[in-house]
Amino acid sequence: MTSRRSAESPRQPGRVLLASPRSWCAGVDRAVLAVEKALEQYGPPIYVRHEIVHNKYVVQSLQKKGAVFVEHTDEVPEDSIILFSAHGVAPTVHTEAAERNLATIDATCPLVTKVHREAVRYAQQDYDIILIGHEGHEEVIGTTGEAPEHITLVNGPDDIAELSVRDESKVAWLSQATLSVDETMETVNALRRRFPHLSSPPSDDICYATQNRQMAVKKLAERAELIIVVGSKNSSNSVRMVEVARNAGAPAVHLVDFAHEIDESWLEGVGPVGLTSGASAPDTLVDGVLQWLAEHGYTDIETVTAANESLSFALPHELRRHLR
Ligand code: SF4
């Protein structure tokens, strides 16, 4: 650590290494736009089940515009409009909404929907499905709800010894979209040792945005002496970026929602500062941190690019139909 500081700091005082890509992914962009369009078209209140994306600033901004966030469908008055978040919901939630005569707008990220479909397909073929993910996360609850009798959740390799399946030749794995790529592959390898006939989904479930942001933060970790990740503590993808940076050897990594949470003492004796943000954090919050850093002498910005992103998703069909 010391040699890296002495090698780079004198030549690059006040440098910010700015990760690219960072901030909103296509699924988050679509979900937030869906709430805004619904508010425009139907007027407030628009009820949103669960935080639309896991970011404090986004949720507070939409609340000011008239979105009402609820955890359960029965909190929504009958005949209202409910919008489902990017994390997806279990089929039972659609049923509950229909029972309350709610008009629904489904802003589930298409990449999460893909995992739901894989769960349904494996269940129809009577596989036991090992879902790698974090217990209690909204996305995991939604995916599990597609085939509860077929799905067993594992958090990591330590959970594998206790697994029991009906037929070792019919076991498949799926994963939450926002996990650490490296840790997930460790779990998959451990599963494969336990179940040599393990069936894999046609493509990785960990989404492109999660993978790209993790690759970018690893690049920051090669040079930065401090990394700031902008994101909320309940954002799986932002928390994973902090872990990935630490595992890649970053000397110090902090997760902040806002620039004012940065402690000046973090910068003491520090050379290049890495800056990135989770897929649920808007870039305006990164701009706020850049401004804070500039006020503290970090004015030299170098973009560190790990991948180029151009993906975008169409609005949920319920809104597109109305827009025609
Ligand atoms: Fe979709 Fe990935 Fe973004 Fe989640 S992080 S909303 S899965 S693109």
Side-chain angles (χ1 to χ4, degrees), residues 25-28 53 86 109-112 139 177-178 205 207-210 237 279 313:
C25 57
V28 166
V53 297
C109 176
L111 301 182
V112 173
E139 187 191 321
T178 49
D205 291 334
C207 76
Y208 80 98
T210 299
N237 140 2
F313 296 128

Side-chain angles (χ1 to χ4, degrees), residues 10 38 41 52 55 90 102 115 128 130 137 199-200 246 284 292-293 308:
Q41 286 175 18
I52 182 73
N55 184 268
L102 304 178
V115 182
D128 281 329
I130 313 298
H137 189 278
S199 181
S200 301
R246 286 192 182 129
T284 184
W292 189 98
L293 287 169
N308 293 309

